[in-house]
Amino acid sequence: MCFTQNFWNLVVSGLADGFLYALIAIGYTLVYGVLQLINFAHSEVFMSGGFASYFILNAAIGTSQPHGIASVGFLALGTIGGGLGGAVVAFLLERVAYRPLRRRNAPRLAFLISAIGASYFIYNLAGKEFGRNALEIPSPFTNGPVFTIFGATVQTVYIVVAVAAVIMLVLVDRVVATTRLGKGIRAVAQDAETASLMGVNIDRVISQTFIIGGVLGGAAGFLFGLPFGVVYTMGFTPALKAFTAAVLGGVGNIRGAMIGGLILGIAENLGVACTQASWRDVVAFGILVLVLLIRPTGILGEQLGRAA
Amino acid sequence: MSTVAPRVPLVRRVWRSDDARRGFACVAGGLVLAVMTGPSGSGTAPTSGFTGSLFHVRVVGFVLFGLVLWGLITARSRYSSQVRAFSAKVTAAPRRLLPDRRVRRVVYLAVLGFAIYYPTILNSFWQEVLVDQIGVYVLLAIGLNVVVGYAGLLDLGYVAFYAIGAYSAAYWTGALPIHPLFHLNPFYAIPLAILAAMFAGVLLGVPTLRLRGDYLAIVTLGAGEIIQIVATNLQGVTGGAQGVIGIPHFSVHLFGIRYSWGLDSLPYYYLLLGFVVIVLFAFRSLENSRVGRAWVAIREDEVAAESAGINVLKYKVMAFAIGASTSGFAGMLEASKISFVEPSDLTVQFSILILVLVIFGGMGSLPGAIVGAAVLQWLPQFLRIHPLFGFQQQDLYMYLGALLIVMMIFRPEGIIPSRRRKREIGLAEHGVGHADAMGHTSGPVS
Amino acid sequence: MLLELVDLEVRYGAIPALSAMSLEIAEGEIVTLLGANGAGKTTTLRSISGLHHPARGRILFEGRDIATMAPHHVMALGISHSPEGRRIFPRMSVTENLEMGAYRRRGAIREDLDRVFQLFPVLGERKRQPGGTLSGGEQQMLAIGRALMSEPRLLLLDEPSMGLAPLIVREIFSIIREIRATGTTILLVEQNATQALRLADRGYVLENGRIVMSDTAGSLLADPRVRAAYLGESAAPA
């Protein structure tokens, strides 16, 4: 097979991609859970997180070359900054593009159209305000090979992505499973009206759901921007793939989104080995269509979604 | 936080009043508009755009605009009955006359006469705009209107079929690196291009239209992106990133008539006008046929339609394929007119643009799609020549995105609504039916 | 009065669902609302809870108008609603479902959980089981238990006997009696008119969105019109 030669290298880079997809996919899945809608503007939440972390790290790091504990500090700063940026945009997005329609009980088509409008508005506004060229995030650490596993070289940046993502994924899983807010989110997802009878403020829970998704998506924007830089159009492709990951795992299912993200990341990297780099997105899209054809409810099934 | 709903302090009471919220939203909207129309920033000076827009005298104008808007909205809700009475009085005459067939026919003929005469008094720049920017887009919009408006589906990959039409034109006329068995005059390539696009529509539609409607949106979005990658990378077939050149113009050699459409826009305009009129007639009769009624039924209540024996999937695929073939047709026409296709033009943005035209004009309304396309395609050209409010072409999609949100919030039925569609949206908002075909039932979760 | 509906009118779009509806409930009472399908019983409860906002009229809870309040505010005042069709959260465990009932309360709910498990021992045996896998009767018990978790002043029960076997229905009704004994006021909507009237202090009869009769439960039970219209029907096994 075409990928046997580099198999473990591909798996390692695939996992790194997969963690990012998982982080973004959770935003889709959570919002899908409470609204039964695909948030088409989630790509812009991701992009905004990338820009927020760029501006923060640019100011904090400047031209210095941090290492050791300083690196960790700057990484945390970038992640938090990206998360905040994503959260702010996600919150505003819900307020402006979704809530007025929800108040009116508008048809679902209207939500999708409004979200697409928001997506185009946000990323083109970013292009206007921050320029249309890619910007390089000043690196908080010096990248290089750290260790090898099965002959695959693991770079620092992979470790950074994996550690940050695992922390956030575990956190969000616990928040949704155990906290009061998590219970509110699950209740709204399973039966919003009854949840309101239990005293759940649906508007607030939906807002908070967008914020949680925004934090993860925005942080992913930072982690993605570390190696690739940030640019106003950066959201489209990763978000489309993250959506694929969400479907793969079962839309509405948080752990499904994580597993789906990792599988997609690896599958995409192996697939690319068999074609060319320029066909990368085609491979991911092919996986999406295949999943929809074969198992539209995803690997783990749709759990948070509406009552079966 | 107190859990008991509340004897609130004055500030919160003001904040909670609808008037204050509306006022805040209007002023915020004015400020957003100030930023949108203000100077651009850059990566090294990311705040300069904002400061240049907001800390500048011009902001006063925008805040005033917001306040005036607030006043208008408030006045409208205060005096809603008077406003309604007044608008009823103004529209009474057309309302009475329009249903009359003869009156309608006269109106149509007048519009057609205008469409025939008006371009002759334009200069060549506007004539070209009329074909490349308006005519083709009108055709595209009335095609997408079948998908979004009639069937209530969201197709975000409309460009894919346009591309297939354009490359079919190139293929059958021998402009591609791969050659067909025989070369055809563009006129004969029309049905082949339409068929190819329709086939692609069925191929993409059958698997995805079974699923929830939002899956269709995302799959078509992906397909639109993929088509560009394929066109760019399949060097040996499509000519790659440089695109294809040398697609011949339309020409007629029949019964002693020899005529070639050339670089002049006007003859193309009339050819296009002819096609648009034909398509309009076809779609109008489709709307009023059994098929059209099936679409209405699916939109209003998919479950009921299904149990009434309507093959929902079939009619959805049909709408999707009709839209696809119209897009293919337009792609074919445009490719032949400008005689080349470039992958860099086949963007996802293109699909979104057509969607905006349909939404702005009015989902499900043919006059809406035409007027929407004409106005929104004309305006940027106009603004390019008369740069009002600092309009820049590269910000176009920012404005269009904002327009989509504003339309969905304030006027989801569009500027020239289809009466039926408007009623449906109103009913859906009261919990009757759902006014789209987003698959509440036929999704995987049911 | 604990709750007063005054001249209430509720519409679905243009269609009136309730008109000129007036009703009152005193502290500690069980009041039942009778009527055929579509008479407006459920709409009444949903309007009290804030799921529908009336076009006209007032809903006074302890003298305060709650007609335009959001459901979560209404519930915070001490009105708890066990909805039609039970509406258990299917993928939450029994305990989580009960915890949802106490969503607005901070602090310990241990005692309330124990109280519910005491009232419905079968729920205690199924603490970790997802709500969706319970039987109909168990789900109904869970729905009532969940509604009790907020320690309500007023409990709205919508068709607690719907679709349940007679034995279970009897059990549910006896539990409602127990709940009342703890001082909770109850507004009960039922199709099972005999059972409901035996339990209630007073009753109202709804027809086409209007109150057509109101009296003590005993008199209604004896009224020939009520017997003909509602008890005849409900005499058939549920």
Side-chain angles (χ1 to χ4, degrees):
Chain A
M1 285 292 280
C2 33
F3 48 68
T4 41
Q5 195 183 358
N6 267 326
F7 186 78
W8 291 107
N9 272 319
L10 293 168
V11 169
V12 167
S13 59
L15 276 174
D17 287 346
F19 276 121
L20 290 179
Y21 297 155
L23 286 174
I24 311 170
I26 288 195
Y28 281 113
T29 266
L30 284 174
V31 169
Y32 192 88
V34 293
L35 290 182
Q36 272 90 55
L37 278 172
I38 294 171
N39 178 11
F40 265 91
H42 194 52
S43 46
E44 276 30 271
V45 169
F46 168 82
M47 181 270 296
S48 310
F51 270 97
S53 65
Y54 164 78
F55 291 128
I56 289 172
L57 288 190
N58 219 16
I61 300 180
T63 52
S64 68
Q65 283 176 322
H67 47 75
I69 193 75
S71 291
V72 177
F74 284 127
L75 280 172
L77 186 67
T79 312
I80 292 167
L84 281 179
V88 168
V89 170
F91 172 79
L92 290 175
L93 176 73
E94 194 272 327
R95 272 296 162 103
V96 175
Y98 283 112
R99 192 171 288 191
L101 304 187
R102 216 145 46 68
R103 288 258 182 285
R104 263 208 343 248
N105 192 18
R108 300 213 306 167
L109 185 63
F111 283 89
L112 295 188
I113 292 169
S114 179
I116 290 160
S119 169
Y120 271 77
F121 173 73
I122 296 170
Y123 91 75
N124 284 292
L125 184 67
K128 177 186 168 69
E129 298 301 337
F130 309 140
R132 291 179 171 80
N133 302 318
L135 304 166
E136 203 180 317
I137 296 182
S139 186
F141 57 88
T142 325
N143 194 25
V146 181
F147 61 88
T148 54
I149 180 170
F150 303 121
T153 320
V154 178
Q155 310 259 343
T156 324
V157 64
Y158 292 161
I159 295 174
V160 167
V161 168
V163 169
V166 167
I167 292 173
M168 281 185 283
L169 293 175
V170 170
L171 266 178
V172 77
D173 188 73
R174 291 294 88 201
V175 164
V176 172
T178 60
T179 65
R180 181 166 177 273
L181 167 62
K183 233 176 271 163
I185 293 176
R186 282 184 293 144
V188 171
Q190 291 179 28
D191 186 340
E193 192 177 272
T194 304
S196 77
L197 289 180
M198 303 295 117
V200 178
N201 182 344
I202 298 182
D203 281 341
R204 181 175 304 159
V205 165
I206 289 175
S207 249
Q208 288 164 339
T209 307
F210 270 84
I211 289 173
I212 295 178
V215 168
L216 268 61
F222 163 63
L223 297 174
F224 179 87
L226 269 182
F228 300 116
V230 295
V231 65
Y232 73 118
T233 51
M234 69 191 264
F236 184 86
T237 314
L240 191 60
K241 290 179 187 166
F243 173 78
T244 304
V247 173
L248 188 62
V251 174
N253 184 325
I254 292 183
R255 292 189 183 166
M258 300 179 190
I259 293 172
L262 295 178
I263 293 178
L264 182 74
I266 295 171
E268 187 192 46
N269 276 274
L270 296 180
V272 167
C274 298
T275 55
Q276 288 162 20
S278 52
W279 292 94
R280 183 177 201 101
D281 302 349
V282 183
V283 172
F285 179 70
I287 293 173
L288 172 62
V289 171
L290 275 182
V291 176
L292 289 178
L293 284 178
I294 299 164
R295 193 174 160 82
T297 49
I299 298 168
L300 294 193
E302 309 188 349
Q303 275 195 350
L304 272 175
R306 54 183 124 149
Chain B
M1 201 205 80
S2 81
T3 50
V4 173
R7 217 142 290 248
V8 267
L10 181 70
V11 183
R12 281 184 82 180
R13 217 173 328 159
V14 169
W15 168 242
R16 283 196 176 166
S17 81
D18 281 351
D19 274 343
R21 282 189 174 197
R22 240 180 255 145
F24 175 78
C26 284
V27 172
L31 293 178
V32 170
L33 202 59
V35 171
M36 285 168 72
T37 56
S40 300
S42 69
T44 45
T47 52
S48 66
F50 292 105
T51 50
S53 317
L54 297 176
F55 304 131
H56 186 273
V57 214
R58 61 197 293 282
V59 80
V60 176
F62 287 98
V63 171
L64 280 178
F65 167 80
L67 291 173
V68 169
L69 194 67
W70 180 31
L72 286 177
I73 291 174
T74 312
R76 205 182 125 183
S77 65
R78 287 274 145 80
Y79 305 102
S80 63
S81 56
Q82 284 98 321
V83 171
R84 222 172 294 151
F86 178 73
S87 74
K89 211 189 283 172
V90 174
T91 56
R95 227 181 258 266
R96 204 178 49 228
L97 288 174
L98 266 181
D100 186 334
R101 245 211 182 137
R102 276 166 307 175
V103 176
R104 273 229 294 254
R105 205 162 287 168
V106 170
V107 171
Y108 289 151
L109 282 177
V111 170
L112 186 63
F114 176 75
I116 292 171
Y117 167 73
Y118 183 63
T120 58
I121 60 169
L122 291 174
N123 62 30
S124 64
F125 169 78
W126 284 109
Q127 287 181 345
E128 198 179 320
V129 167
L130 212 48
V131 180
D132 292 340
Q133 301 298 327
I134 297 181
V136 174
Y137 285 78
V138 165
L139 187 57
L140 285 162
I142 54 185
L144 187 61
N145 182 45
V146 173
V147 187
V148 180
Y150 292 169
L153 302 164
L154 194 53
D155 178 357
L156 300 178
Y158 202 53
V159 67
F161 310 112
Y162 180 89
I164 287 169
Y167 277 102
S168 298
Y171 175 72
W172 289 107
T173 55
L176 282 186
I178 49 162
H179 290 285
L181 287 176
F182 42 85
H183 292 185
L184 291 175
N185 176 303
F187 270 117
Y188 298 111
I190 290 178
L192 294 169
I194 290 179
L195 273 179
M198 188 182 277
F199 179 69
V202 172
L203 208 66
L204 193 64
V206 167
T208 36
L209 285 167
R210 290 173 201 280
L211 307 169
R212 268 193 295 254
D214 27 15
Y215 282 10
L216 175 75
I218 209 128
V219 168
T220 48
L221 188 71
E225 171 80 354
I226 296 311
I227 204 88
Q228 192 181 18
I229 299 177
V230 171
T232 313
N233 291 302
L234 223 55
Q235 191 92 25
V237 180
T238 62
Q242 295 82 28
V244 228
I245 52 165
I247 302 167
H249 291 290
F250 282 91
S251 57
V252 175
H253 310 264
L254 225 58
F255 314 121
I257 304 170
R258 290 185 148 266
Y259 183 78
S260 285
W261 277 262
L263 290 172
D264 190 5
S265 293
L266 208 52
Y268 261 105
Y269 172 77
Y270 290 116
L271 182 70
L272 199 54
L273 185 63
F275 284 139
V276 168
V277 169
I278 293 169
V279 173
L280 276 177
F281 269 107
F283 286 179
R284 223 174 74 101
S285 46
L286 199 61
E287 188 186 357
N288 297 320
S289 70
R290 255 173 57 88
V291 180
R293 285 193 296 276
W295 286 332
V296 171
I298 292 172
R299 246 160 39 205
E300 294 190 349
D301 193 335
E302 210 169 315
V303 190
E306 190 119 48
S307 53
I310 294 173
N311 184 342
V312 170
L313 181 64
K314 180 178 115 185
Y315 284 103
K316 282 185 177 178
V317 171
M318 200 186 271
F320 192 68
I322 290 172
S325 44
T326 315
S327 182
F329 184 27
M332 192 273 146
L333 289 174
E334 181 67 5
S336 165
K337 198 242 159 197
I338 59 175
S339 83
F340 65 89
V341 195
E342 249 180 333
S344 60
D345 291 338
L346 307 171
T347 57
V348 172
Q349 286 199 345
F350 179 94
S351 310
I352 303 295
L353 174 60
I354 315 299
L355 180 70
V356 182
L357 305 182
V358 174
I359 302 295
F360 178 69
M363 284 184 267
S365 148
L366 286 173
I370 297 167
V371 172
V375 170
L376 282 189
Q377 285 294 97
W378 162 80
L379 194 62
Q381 300 298 330
F382 174 81
L383 289 173
R384 217 166 60 168
I385 306 171
H386 313 275
L388 231 62
F389 308 117
F391 174 80
Q392 285 174 303
Q393 188 68 27
Q394 54 190 1
D395 294 336
L396 177 65
Y397 283 88
M398 178 184 71
Y399 290 103
L400 293 180
L403 181 65
L404 277 185
I405 305 178
V406 170
M407 292 300 294
M408 283 305 109
I409 295 176
F410 297 105
R411 207 174 160 86
E413 69 272 18
I415 51 165
I416 307 184
S418 128
R419 219 172 299 164
R420 168 133 229 156
R421 219 57 177 95
K422 187 174 176 181
R423 216 196 80 212
E424 278 172 23
I425 293 173
L427 280 175
E429 290 175 0
H430 284 105
V432 184
H434 39 69
D436 59 31
M438 302 311 286
H440 294 237
T441 53
S442 57
V445 189
S446 56
Chain C
M1 283 297 134
L2 186 66
L3 181 81
E4 267 174 283
L5 309 189
V6 187
D7 201 17
L8 202 63
E9 180 177 316
V10 179
R11 315 177 140 272
Y12 294 124
I15 311 147
L18 289 180
S19 31
M21 162 96 172
S22 293
L23 172 156
E24 34 187 61
I25 304 172
E27 186 105 49
E29 268 191 312
I30 294 191
V31 172
T32 182
L33 205 53
L34 305 176
N37 268 332
K41 299 175 309 240
T42 295
T43 305
T44 308
L45 294 196
R46 290 171 62 88
S47 305
I48 297 170
S49 287
L51 292 172
H52 294 307
H53 294 306
R56 235 170 31 133
R58 289 183 298 163
I59 303 175
L60 303 173
F61 184 69
E62 303 186 291
R64 173 148 164 219
D65 194 347
I66 59 168
T68 57
M69 272 188 199
H72 60 272
H73 285 309
V74 173
M75 107 82 67
L77 295 177
I79 300 181
S80 194
H81 186 161
S82 164
E84 186 181 15
R86 310 188 270 266
R87 306 283 284 269
I88 294 305
F89 298 109
R91 287 180 299 282
M92 285 189 182
S93 69
V94 167
T95 309
E96 280 182 316
N97 262 289
L98 292 174
E99 285 167 357
M100 279 310 298
Y103 190 81
R104 299 295 290 194
R105 291 173 46 203
R106 318 249 163 182
I109 56 165
R110 194 65 260 164
E111 280 171 30
D112 298 87
L113 274 177
D114 289 342
R115 195 163 56 99
V116 170
F117 288 139
Q118 218 163 28
L119 209 52
F120 304 100
V122 62
L123 295 181
E125 295 158 22
R126 307 211 187 296
K127 280 179 192 168
R128 300 177 66 97
Q129 203 171 315
T133 61
L134 300 181
S135 73
E138 290 161 355
Q139 285 193 1
Q140 186 57 60
M141 293 174 192
L142 181 54
I144 296 176
R146 189 177 61 179
L148 287 175
M149 286 297 291
S150 64
E151 300 185 323
R153 316 261 322 267
L154 172 64
L155 178 62
L156 310 176
L157 292 176
D158 200 342
E159 305 253 5
S161 73
M162 190 164 66
L164 300 181
L167 209 67
I168 313 273
V169 172
R170 205 171 310 150
E171 199 181 332
I172 300 242
F173 273 93
S174 83
I175 287 166
I176 295 176
R177 208 165 273 132
E178 275 179 54
I179 296 168
R180 185 257 185 95
T182 65
T184 311
T185 313
I186 297 172
L187 176 54
L188 172 68
V189 158
E190 259 300 332
Q191 294 230 333
N192 197 335
T194 321
Q195 293 263 29
L197 286 173
R198 281 201 192 120
L199 182 70
D201 301 308
R202 293 186 302 114
Y204 290 82
V205 180
L206 262 175
E207 253 167 45
N208 297 319
R210 289 173 188 278
I211 302 265
V212 291
M213 238 187 268
S214 75
D215 212 328
T216 61
S219 320
L220 285 177
L221 205 49
D223 191 296
R225 285 168 299 170
V226 175
R227 296 194 73 88
Y230 302 104
L231 302 186
E233 275 179 16
S234 70

